[in-house]
Each structure stands twice: as structure tokens, then as C-alpha cells.
Amino acid sequence: MKKQKMTYLSSGMVGLAGLVLMGLQTNDAQAATNGTVNYADGATTVWTSPAVGQKPARYLATNQQVTIQDTKQVYGQTWYKLGNDEWVSSQFITAGDATAQPATTTTAVKNTVTANFQSGATTVWADTTAAQPTGEYLTYGTTKNVIDQKDLNGTTWYQLESKGWIPASYVVLNNPNLDGVTPITNAPAVTPVAATTTTTEVQAPTAPQATTPAPATETPAPAATTEATTPAATTSTPAATTQPAQTQTTTQSSQQTTQAATTQQAPQTNTTTKASGNAQTVINAALSQIGTPYVWGGSTPGVGLDCSGLVQYAYAQAGVSLGRVTTAQEGAGQRVSLDNLQPGDILFWGGAGASYHDAIYIGGGQYVHAPQPGESVKTASISSYFMPSFAVRVL
């Protein structure tokens, strides 16, 4: 490594950040592998960058062979570099050593899962916390290979080849034809599993804590991109429930600790919640309308909706009555910063009192909305090309 660093410095690399970046690129280039496009429902977009603001560079066909020159993690998602300014999300490329022999034994024992949720599509999550969708959705009858399985808190999760996770309650194992299986029409309740590292983050501070711990505000990072080749589909997947409270400390008295444990069940902890029960009801209702045509003034689910009609319908499923138009919906809750969004918040475009579009934030830098005439309800990512003006929290 020291020799590599000297080489980089002599080549004109300036600064430690440039040195590290060059070192990573060199190591990846030496370990370059081939990959195969695994997306079968259309063309796969190659983007100019894995970050927000990228543009399409070209498109790849199913089973097309590519060379993976580099990898990069962006907001927890892996991206493959195929060439200069050419990046593809790893979920659409199956990577493998060009010289490796087919692993016949793995194929023989590989399990499959088949989506059994018929009322919409099932979200594939980045991990078992169900906090961030990968952008991949499984429509009813879609079969995927399983590479791992976890049984946590009474819930079974399957990891797909795309590295995403899906709860067992939405799929059927090793029955691709769904023979003798009754389709699911109502979204099952699933308790997401928190990452184990959160239990170690509650450490005793040097200063005493207040008797009522202040809830930590968790700001989801915006999603890097919206993959153009991800099939548009509805989803009714599990709610991302409250993560273990990270504002509690072990240095408090036993009475304070008891109080903190109780506080986790109270509404005040919503600031650390990925999506409360009511918020997830709103999100599921909105996502269930993916594919519904945009109709100006439309308020009929499954037939035609405009942006505010979708928001009004989704909140109604959680028992919240909203006004019919965007300007009326602006006053339905409390204004919140775009840097402090929570799933279920309403995003608005335009000035206060003169908004012209709204959407429902679903987490992970994504939202669901009814865009415009000629399009249908779909998900999108917050980006500089179409940045919301402000947000309102109702739940």
C-alpha cells in the first residue's frame, strides 16, 4: 500500500482524499469482473452518475454481458461502474468472475420465493428494518431466487439475489406456480427488525441526562436515483416501525429508565419513527394506487386520481379527512423542514397558499404522487430537477 501511495503522489495526485479514491479505483480495477443484466421486463438504464442529478447514458438488454470496473456505495446501495460516466445499480446486474465455473451445486439447492400479494406490488427493502425501499417491486406471481434467510422476532425475511429483503408473509417459498395458494389481498402486518448495532449505541454519557430524554430526529438520506427500469407497481409492504430509542441512557436512575421504556410507546417518539402505524396506512394506500391514471380533478381510486385526490384518498384510509385541493391540504398539519422528513409527510411544490402539486413522502428520499396528464400514479425520488418547496406533517 505504501508503494501505491508513493506512485499516486508522484503521478500528481493532490490531497489525502484523492489518494484514497485512486487507491480504491485501482484495487477495484484489478479485481474487475463480468456481470450479466438480470432485469427481464425491459431495458436497464445506464446512468452518468450514481448520485442525485444523473442523466441516462445508454440502455442495456436482458442477459447482456458487461464488465464491472468499479463499485461505489451511495446511501447504502451498491452501484457498478461500467465505463467512464456509466453507472448501474447492482440490483440490475448479476456479478460473477469471468473465469469462474458455473456453481451447479448452488443452483441445485437454491430456494425461490413468489410474490403472493395480489392487491398491489410488494416492496423489496434494503434491510430487515424496512426503513428504505431498494426501488425494486415484485408484482403478483413474480418469482425470485433466495440467497439468505433470517428469522427475527417471529418474522422470517428472505434476501434476494438483488441483495434486497422481503418478508415471508408476502411470498410463497418454492412454489413458483402458486399451486393451491390463496392470494393475499390485504397487506399483512409485519414488524420490521431493527439493526443489532442500535443496541450498542445506548452508552452512558459523561454528563447527566434530563429526566425526559429529548427524542433524536432522524433525517433519512435522499435516494441517489430512481432507476428508470424499475417496474412501476403498487406496494403494500410492512410498516417501518419505531427503531429502538437511541436517546435513552444507562446512567439514569431505575425510575428514569422505566420512564424511558414507557416513552417509547408514547406519541412523542414519533420523531425517531420511520413510519408510524397510521403513517404506514397512508403510505400503503397511496402505493396501492400505483398505475392508476392521472385524471385532473379525479378522486376515484383505481379509476383516476390527480395529485391532491391521491393524497386525500390515502389519508382517508387512516381516518384523516383532508381538503380536496393542494392549498387546502397545506393547512392540515405542521410545517416541517425538508431536511427532517418522515414517512407520511405531505410534500408541496409552489409557494405557501399557491401550491400546484403535492405528494406523500415514503422514506428513503422517495415519494409517491400522481404526476400529470398522460402519466399514472408512481414513485419518484427527491432531486434538484423537481425539488419540493415545503412539507407538512399531519400524523
Side-chain angles (χ1 to χ4, degrees):
M1 177 59 76
K2 291 182 178 179
K3 292 181 179 180
Q4 290 178 333
K5 289 182 178 179
M6 292 302 294
T7 300
Y8 301 149
L9 290 172
S10 63
S11 299
M13 294 299 294
V14 179
L16 178 59
L19 177 61
V20 173
L21 178 60
M22 189 64 175
L24 289 175
Q25 291 174 337
T26 301
N27 291 339
D28 288 333
Q30 293 174 349
T33 61
N34 282 357
T36 304
V37 178
N38 59 34
Y39 183 62
D41 294 333
T44 295
T45 305
V46 178
W47 300 93
T48 56
S49 168
V52 173
Q54 80 283 64
K55 297 179 181 179
R58 59 188 177 101
Y59 300 92
L60 305 176
T62 305
N63 294 325
Q64 182 173 339
Q65 298 295 308
V66 297
T67 299
I68 300 171
Q69 300 179 1
D70 195 0
T71 62
K72 186 175 184 179
Q73 292 288 325
V74 179
Y75 301 117
Q77 185 176 11
T78 300
W79 287 76
Y80 292 147
K81 181 180 180 181
L82 307 185
N84 292 333
D85 298 327
E86 292 188 345
W87 294 84
V88 176
S89 175
S90 63
Q91 63 184 323
F92 300 103
I93 302 290
T94 300
D97 192 338
T99 61
Q101 298 300 318
T104 56
T105 56
T106 302
T107 302
V109 299
K110 189 171 293 184
N111 291 321
T112 64
V113 289
T114 303
N116 191 39
F117 184 63
Q118 195 175 47
S119 300
T122 301
T123 300
V124 178
W125 300 96
D127 53 39
T128 56
T129 64
Q132 179 175 338
T134 64
E136 179 182 9
Y137 300 91
L138 304 186
T139 56
Y140 176 72
T142 300
T143 298
K144 295 290 184 179
N145 290 328
V146 175
I147 62 173
D148 196 5
Q149 175 180 332
K150 288 184 179 180
D151 295 295
L152 302 168
N153 291 356
T155 299
T156 298
W157 289 81
Y158 296 118
Q159 187 178 33
L160 310 182
E161 288 182 332
S162 62
K163 305 302 182 182
W165 291 85
I166 197 165
S169 53
Y170 286 83
V171 296
V172 176
L173 183 65
N174 296 330
N175 187 356
N177 295 324
L178 298 176
D179 295 332
V181 178
T182 301
I184 300 171
T185 55
N186 295 319
V190 176
T191 301
V193 179
T196 56
T197 54
T198 56
T199 60
T200 64
E201 293 176 3
V202 185
Q203 301 296 332
T206 56
Q209 299 295 307
T211 56
T212 302
T217 300
E218 188 167 322
T219 305
T225 62
T226 299
E227 177 57 55
T229 59
T230 301
T234 60
T235 179
S236 297
T237 46
T241 60
T242 305
Q243 299 291 328
Q246 298 182 10
T247 57
Q248 316 302 328
T249 71
T250 57
T251 60
Q252 294 174 322
S253 66
S254 59
Q255 291 180 345
Q256 292 170 335
T257 303
T258 302
Q259 178 184 8
T262 304
T263 306
Q264 294 183 40
Q265 305 300 324
Q268 286 83 353
T269 59
N270 284 346
T271 53
T272 59
T273 303
K274 292 298 183 181
S276 67
N278 287 339
Q280 191 62 41
T281 299
V282 171
I283 292 170
N284 288 347
L287 291 174
S288 73
Q289 295 305 305
I290 289 181
T292 298
Y294 177 97
V295 174
W296 188 85
S299 58
T300 305
V303 177
L305 296 166
D306 62 9
C307 62
S308 56
L310 173 65
V311 173
Q312 183 187 49
Y313 163 75
Y315 268 87
Q317 308 316 298
V320 179
S321 178
L322 297 182
R324 177 60 186 83
V325 296
T326 59
T327 51
Q329 293 171 359
E330 290 179 17
Q334 179 182 3
R335 184 80 65 89
V336 293
S337 168
L338 295 177
D339 294 327
N340 188 29
L341 293 174
Q342 291 184 4
D345 290 349
I346 306 177
L347 305 177
F348 291 90
W349 283 258
S355 57
Y356 60 87
H357 186 65
D358 62 359
I360 297 174
Y361 184 68
I362 62 176
Q366 294 186 310
Y367 56 87
V368 57
H369 68 151
Q372 59 186 0
E375 296 191 47
S376 300
V377 176
K378 63 181 181 180
T379 59
S381 293
I382 295 175
S383 72
S384 58
Y385 292 110
F386 192 53
M387 179 65 68
S389 306
F390 62 94
V392 168
R393 182 166 300 154
V394 179
L395 296 174

Coordinates of all heavy atoms in Angstrom, one line a residue, residues 200-271:
T200 N -26.1 -1.2 20.9 CA -24.8 -0.9 21.5 C -24.6 0.6 21.4 O -23.6 1.1 22.0 CB -23.7 -1.5 20.7 OG1 -23.7 -1.1 19.3 CG2 -23.9 -3.0 20.7
E201 N -25.5 1.4 20.8 CA -25.3 2.8 20.7 C -25.8 3.5 22.0 O -25.6 4.7 22.2 CB -26.1 3.3 19.5 CG -25.5 2.9 18.2 CD -26.3 3.3 17.0 OE1 -27.2 4.1 17.2 OE2 -25.9 3.0 15.9
V202 N -26.5 2.8 22.8 CA -27.1 3.5 24.0 C -26.0 3.4 25.1 O -25.9 2.4 25.9 CB -28.4 2.8 24.5 CG1 -28.9 3.5 25.7 CG2 -29.3 2.7 23.4
Q203 N -25.1 4.3 25.1 CA -23.9 4.3 26.1 C -24.1 5.4 27.1 O -24.7 6.4 26.8 CB -22.6 4.5 25.3 CG -22.4 3.4 24.3 CD -22.2 2.0 24.9 OE1 -21.8 1.9 26.1 NE2 -22.6 0.9 24.2
A204 N -23.5 5.2 28.2 CA -23.6 6.2 29.3 C -22.8 7.5 28.9 O -21.6 7.4 28.6 CB -23.1 5.7 30.6
P205 N -23.4 8.7 28.9 CA -22.7 9.9 28.6 C -22.0 10.4 29.8 O -22.2 10.0 30.9 CB -23.8 10.9 28.2 CG -25.0 10.4 29.0 CD -24.9 8.9 29.1
T206 N -21.1 11.3 29.6 CA -20.3 11.9 30.7 C -21.1 12.9 31.5 O -20.9 13.1 32.7 CB -19.1 12.6 30.2 OG1 -19.5 13.6 29.2 CG2 -18.2 11.6 29.4
A207 N -22.2 13.5 30.9 CA -23.0 14.4 31.6 C -24.3 13.8 31.9 O -24.8 13.0 31.1 CB -23.2 15.7 30.8
P208 N -25.0 14.1 33.0 CA -26.3 13.5 33.4 C -27.3 14.0 32.4 O -27.3 15.1 31.9 CB -26.6 14.0 34.8 CG -25.7 15.3 34.9 CD -24.5 15.0 34.1
Q209 N -28.3 13.1 32.1 CA -29.4 13.3 31.2 C -30.6 13.9 31.9 O -30.8 13.7 33.1 CB -29.8 12.1 30.4 CG -28.6 11.5 29.6 CD -28.2 12.4 28.5 OE1 -29.1 12.8 27.7 NE2 -27.0 12.7 28.4
A210 N -31.4 14.6 31.2 CA -32.6 15.1 31.7 C -33.6 14.0 32.0 O -33.5 12.9 31.4 CB -33.3 16.1 30.8
T211 N -34.5 14.2 32.9 CA -35.5 13.1 33.3 C -36.3 12.7 32.1 O -36.8 11.6 32.0 CB -36.4 13.6 34.4 OG1 -37.1 14.8 34.1 CG2 -35.5 13.8 35.7
T212 N -36.6 13.6 31.2 CA -37.3 13.3 30.0 C -36.4 13.4 28.8 O -36.1 14.5 28.3 CB -38.5 14.2 29.7 OG1 -39.4 14.2 30.9 CG2 -39.3 13.8 28.5
P213 N -35.9 12.3 28.3 CA -34.9 12.4 27.2 C -35.5 13.0 25.9 O -36.7 12.8 25.6 CB -34.6 10.9 26.9 CG -35.0 10.2 28.1 CD -36.1 10.9 28.7
A214 N -34.7 13.9 25.3 CA -35.2 14.5 24.1 C -35.1 13.5 22.9 O -34.1 12.9 22.7 CB -34.3 15.7 23.8
P215 N -36.2 13.4 22.2 CA -36.1 12.4 21.1 C -35.2 12.8 20.0 O -35.1 14.0 19.7 CB -37.6 12.4 20.5 CG -38.1 13.7 21.0 CD -37.5 14.1 22.3
A216 N -34.4 11.9 19.5 CA -33.5 12.2 18.4 C -34.2 12.3 17.1 O -35.1 11.5 16.8 CB -32.4 11.1 18.3
T217 N -33.9 13.3 16.3 CA -34.5 13.5 15.0 C -33.7 12.7 14.0 O -32.5 13.0 13.8 CB -34.6 14.9 14.6 OG1 -35.4 15.6 15.6 CG2 -35.3 15.1 13.3
E218 N -34.3 11.9 13.3 CA -33.6 11.1 12.3 C -34.0 11.6 10.9 O -35.1 11.6 10.5 CB -34.0 9.6 12.4 CG -33.2 8.7 11.6 CD -33.5 7.2 12.0 OE1 -33.6 7.0 13.2 OE2 -33.5 6.4 11.1
T219 N -33.0 12.0 10.1 CA -33.2 12.5 8.8 C -32.8 11.5 7.8 O -31.6 11.2 7.6 CB -32.4 13.8 8.6 OG1 -32.7 14.7 9.6 CG2 -32.7 14.4 7.2
P220 N -33.8 10.9 7.0 CA -33.4 9.9 6.0 C -32.6 10.6 4.9 O -32.9 11.7 4.5 CB -34.7 9.5 5.5 CG -35.7 9.9 6.5 CD -35.2 11.1 7.1
A221 N -31.5 9.9 4.4 CA -30.7 10.5 3.3 C -31.5 10.3 2.0 O -32.2 9.4 1.8 CB -29.4 9.7 3.2
P222 N -31.5 11.3 1.2 CA -32.2 11.2 -0.1 C -31.7 10.1 -1.0 O -30.5 9.8 -1.0 CB -31.9 12.6 -0.8 CG -30.7 13.1 -0.1 CD -30.7 12.6 1.3
A223 N -32.6 9.4 -1.7 CA -32.2 8.3 -2.5 C -31.3 8.9 -3.7 O -31.6 10.0 -4.2 CB -33.4 7.6 -3.1
A224 N -30.4 8.1 -4.1 CA -29.4 8.6 -5.1 C -30.1 8.7 -6.4 O -30.0 9.7 -7.1 CB -28.3 7.6 -5.2
T225 N -30.9 7.8 -6.8 CA -31.5 7.8 -8.1 C -32.9 7.1 -8.1 O -33.2 6.4 -7.2 CB -30.7 7.2 -9.2 OG1 -30.6 5.8 -8.9 CG2 -29.3 7.8 -9.3
T226 N -33.6 7.3 -9.2 CA -34.8 6.5 -9.5 C -34.4 5.7 -10.7 O -34.2 6.2 -11.8 CB -36.0 7.3 -9.8 OG1 -36.3 8.1 -8.6 CG2 -37.2 6.4 -10.1
E227 N -34.3 4.4 -10.5 CA -33.9 3.5 -11.7 C -35.0 3.5 -12.7 O -36.2 3.1 -12.4 CB -33.6 2.1 -11.2 CG -33.3 1.1 -12.3 CD -32.1 1.5 -13.1 OE1 -31.1 1.8 -12.5 OE2 -32.3 1.7 -14.3
A228 N -34.8 3.9 -13.9 CA -35.8 4.0 -14.9 C -36.4 2.7 -15.3 O -37.5 2.6 -15.8 CB -35.2 4.7 -16.2
T229 N -35.6 1.6 -15.0 CA -36.1 0.3 -15.4 C -36.9 -0.4 -14.4 O -37.3 -1.5 -14.5 CB -34.9 -0.6 -15.9 OG1 -34.0 -0.7 -14.8 CG2 -34.2 0.0 -17.0
T230 N -37.0 0.2 -13.2 CA -37.7 -0.4 -12.1 C -39.2 -0.4 -12.5 O -39.8 0.6 -12.8 CB -37.6 0.3 -10.8 OG1 -36.2 0.3 -10.5 CG2 -38.3 -0.4 -9.7
P231 N -39.9 -1.6 -12.5 CA -41.3 -1.6 -12.9 C -42.1 -0.8 -12.0 O -42.0 -0.9 -10.8 CB -41.6 -3.1 -12.9 CG -40.6 -3.7 -12.0 CD -39.4 -2.9 -12.2
A232 N -43.1 0.0 -12.6 CA -44.0 0.7 -11.7 C -45.0 -0.2 -11.2 O -45.6 -1.0 -11.9 CB -44.7 1.8 -12.6
A233 N -45.2 -0.2 -9.9 CA -46.1 -1.2 -9.3 C -46.5 -0.6 -7.9 O -45.8 0.2 -7.3 CB -45.4 -2.5 -9.1
T234 N -47.7 -1.1 -7.5 CA -48.2 -0.7 -6.2 C -47.5 -1.6 -5.1 O -46.9 -2.6 -5.4 CB -49.7 -0.9 -6.1 OG1 -50.0 -2.2 -6.3 CG2 -50.4 0.0 -7.1
T235 N -47.6 -1.1 -3.9 CA -47.0 -1.9 -2.8 C -47.8 -1.8 -1.6 O -48.4 -0.8 -1.3 CB -45.6 -1.4 -2.6 OG1 -45.0 -2.2 -1.5 CG2 -45.5 0.1 -2.2
S236 N -47.8 -2.8 -0.8 CA -48.5 -2.8 0.5 C -47.6 -3.6 1.5 O -48.0 -4.4 2.2 CB -49.8 -3.5 0.4 OG -50.7 -2.9 -0.5
T237 N -46.3 -3.2 1.5 CA -45.4 -3.9 2.3 C -45.3 -3.3 3.7 O -45.9 -2.3 4.0 CB -44.0 -3.9 1.6 OG1 -43.8 -2.6 1.2 CG2 -44.0 -4.9 0.5
P238 N -44.5 -4.0 4.6 CA -44.6 -3.7 6.0 C -44.2 -2.3 6.4 O -43.4 -1.7 5.8 CB -43.7 -4.7 6.6 CG -42.7 -5.1 5.6 CD -43.6 -5.0 4.3
A239 N -44.8 -1.9 7.5 CA -44.5 -0.5 8.0 C -43.2 -0.6 8.7 O -42.8 -1.5 9.3 CB -45.6 -0.1 9.1
A240 N -42.4 0.5 8.5 CA -41.2 0.6 9.2 C -41.5 1.2 10.6 O -41.7 2.4 10.7 CB -40.2 1.5 8.4
T241 N -41.5 0.4 11.6 CA -41.9 0.8 12.9 C -40.8 1.5 13.7 O -39.7 1.5 13.2 CB -42.5 -0.4 13.7 OG1 -41.4 -1.3 13.8 CG2 -43.7 -1.0 13.0
T242 N -41.1 1.9 14.9 CA -40.2 2.7 15.7 C -38.9 1.9 15.9 O -38.9 0.8 16.3 CB -40.8 3.0 17.0 OG1 -42.0 3.7 16.7 CG2 -39.9 3.9 17.8
Q243 N -37.7 2.5 15.6 CA -36.4 1.9 16.0 C -36.2 2.0 17.5 O -36.8 2.9 18.1 CB -35.3 2.7 15.2 CG -35.5 2.7 13.7 CD -35.2 1.3 13.2 OE1 -34.4 0.6 13.8 NE2 -35.8 0.9 12.1
P244 N -35.4 1.2 18.0 CA -35.1 1.4 19.5 C -34.7 2.8 19.8 O -33.8 3.3 19.1 CB -34.0 0.3 19.7 CG -34.1 -0.7 18.6 CD -34.7 0.1 17.4
A245 N -35.2 3.3 20.8 CA -34.9 4.7 21.2 C -33.5 4.9 21.5 O -33.0 4.2 22.4 CB -35.8 5.2 22.4
Q246 N -32.8 5.8 20.8 CA -31.4 5.9 21.0 C -31.1 7.1 21.9 O -29.9 7.4 22.1 CB -30.7 6.2 19.6 CG -30.8 5.0 18.7 CD -30.1 5.2 17.4 OE1 -29.3 6.1 17.3 NE2 -30.3 4.3 16.5
T247 N -32.1 7.8 22.4 CA -31.9 8.9 23.3 C -31.9 8.4 24.8 O -31.7 9.2 25.7 CB -32.9 10.0 23.1 OG1 -34.2 9.4 23.3 CG2 -32.8 10.5 21.7
Q248 N -32.2 7.1 25.0 CA -32.2 6.6 26.4 C -30.7 6.4 26.8 O -29.9 6.1 26.0 CB -33.0 5.3 26.5 CG -34.3 5.4 25.8 CD -35.2 6.5 26.2 OE1 -35.1 6.9 27.4 NE2 -36.0 7.1 25.4
T249 N -30.4 6.5 28.1 CA -29.1 6.2 28.6 C -29.1 5.2 29.8 O -30.2 5.1 30.5 CB -28.3 7.5 29.1 OG1 -29.0 7.9 30.3 CG2 -28.4 8.5 28.0
T250 N -28.0 4.5 30.0 CA -28.0 3.5 31.1 C -27.5 4.2 32.4 O -27.4 3.5 33.4 CB -27.0 2.4 30.7 OG1 -25.7 2.9 30.4 CG2 -27.5 1.6 29.5
T251 N -27.2 5.5 32.3 CA -26.7 6.1 33.5 C -27.9 6.7 34.3 O -27.7 7.3 35.4 CB -25.7 7.3 33.2 OG1 -26.4 8.2 32.3 CG2 -24.5 6.7 32.4
Q252 N -29.1 6.7 33.8 CA -30.2 7.3 34.6 C -30.6 6.3 35.7 O -30.3 5.2 35.7 CB -31.4 7.5 33.6 CG -31.0 8.6 32.6 CD -32.2 8.7 31.6 OE1 -32.7 7.7 31.2 NE2 -32.5 9.9 31.1
S253 N -31.3 6.9 36.6 CA -31.8 6.0 37.7 C -32.8 5.0 37.2 O -33.3 5.1 36.1 CB -32.5 6.9 38.8 OG -33.7 7.5 38.2
S254 N -33.1 4.0 38.0 CA -34.1 3.0 37.6 C -35.4 3.6 37.3 O -36.1 3.1 36.4 CB -34.2 1.9 38.7 OG -34.6 2.5 39.9
Q255 N -35.8 4.6 38.0 CA -37.1 5.2 37.7 C -37.1 5.9 36.3 O -38.0 5.8 35.6 CB -37.4 6.3 38.8 CG -37.7 5.7 40.1 CD -38.0 6.7 41.2 OE1 -37.8 7.9 40.9 NE2 -38.6 6.3 42.3
Q256 N -35.9 6.6 36.0 CA -35.8 7.2 34.7 C -35.8 6.2 33.6 O -36.4 6.4 32.5 CB -34.6 8.1 34.7 CG -34.6 9.3 35.6 CD -33.3 10.0 35.7 OE1 -32.3 9.4 35.5 NE2 -33.3 11.2 36.1
T257 N -35.1 5.1 33.8 CA -35.1 4.0 32.8 C -36.4 3.5 32.5 O -36.8 3.2 31.4 CB -34.1 2.9 33.3 OG1 -32.8 3.5 33.5 CG2 -34.0 1.8 32.2
T258 N -37.2 3.3 33.6 CA -38.6 2.8 33.4 C -39.4 3.8 32.6 O -40.2 3.5 31.7 CB -39.2 2.6 34.8 OG1 -38.5 1.6 35.5 CG2 -40.7 2.0 34.6
Q259 N -39.2 5.1 32.9 CA -39.9 6.1 32.2 C -39.5 6.1 30.8 O -40.4 6.3 29.9 CB -39.6 7.5 32.9 CG -40.3 8.7 32.1 CD -39.9 10.0 32.7 OE1 -39.0 10.0 33.5 NE2 -40.5 11.0 32.3
A260 N -38.2 6.0 30.5 CA -37.8 6.0 29.1 C -38.4 4.8 28.3 O -38.8 5.0 27.2 CB -36.2 5.9 29.1
A261 N -38.5 3.6 28.9 CA -39.0 2.5 28.3 C -40.5 2.7 27.9 O -41.0 2.3 26.9 CB -38.9 1.2 29.1
T262 N -41.2 3.4 28.9 CA -42.6 3.7 28.6 C -42.7 4.7 27.5 O -43.6 4.7 26.7 CB -43.3 4.2 29.9 OG1 -43.1 3.3 30.9 CG2 -44.7 4.5 29.7
T263 N -41.8 5.7 27.5 CA -41.9 6.8 26.5 C -41.8 6.2 25.1 O -42.3 6.8 24.1 CB -40.7 7.8 26.7 OG1 -40.8 8.2 28.1 CG2 -40.9 9.0 25.8
Q264 N -41.2 5.1 24.9 CA -41.1 4.6 23.5 C -42.4 4.2 22.9 O -42.6 4.2 21.7 CB -40.2 3.3 23.5 CG -38.7 3.6 23.9 CD -37.9 2.3 23.8 OE1 -38.1 1.5 22.9 NE2 -37.0 2.1 24.8
Q265 N -43.4 4.0 23.8 CA -44.7 3.7 23.3 C -45.6 5.0 23.1 O -46.7 4.9 22.6 CB -45.4 2.8 24.2 CG -44.6 1.5 24.5 CD -44.4 0.7 23.3 OE1 -45.2 0.7 22.4 NE2 -43.2 0.1 23.2
A266 N -45.1 6.1 23.5 CA -45.9 7.3 23.5 C -45.7 8.1 22.2 O -44.7 7.9 21.5 CB -45.4 8.3 24.6
P267 N -46.7 8.9 21.8 CA -46.7 9.6 20.5 C -45.4 10.5 20.4 O -45.0 10.8 19.3 CB -48.0 10.4 20.6 CG -48.8 9.7 21.5 CD -47.9 9.1 22.6
Q268 N -44.8 11.0 21.5 CA -43.7 11.9 21.4 C -42.5 11.3 20.7 O -41.7 12.0 20.3 CB -43.3 12.3 22.8 CG -44.2 13.3 23.5 CD -45.4 12.6 24.2 OE1 -45.5 11.4 24.0 NE2 -46.2 13.4 24.9
T269 N -42.4 10.0 20.6 CA -41.3 9.3 20.0 C -41.4 9.2 18.5 O -40.7 8.5 17.8 CB -41.0 7.9 20.6 OG1 -42.2 7.1 20.4 CG2 -40.7 8.0 22.1
N270 N -42.5 9.8 17.9 CA -42.7 9.8 16.5 C -41.5 10.3 15.7 O -41.3 10.0 14.6 CB -43.9 10.5 16.1 CG -45.2 9.7 16.5 OD1 -45.1 8.5 16.7 ND2 -46.3 10.3 16.5
T271 N -40.7 11.2 16.3 CA -39.6 11.8 15.6 C -38.5 10.8 15.2 O -37.7 11.0 14.3 CB -38.9 12.9 16.4 OG1 -38.6 12.4 17.7 CG2 -39.9 14.1 16.6

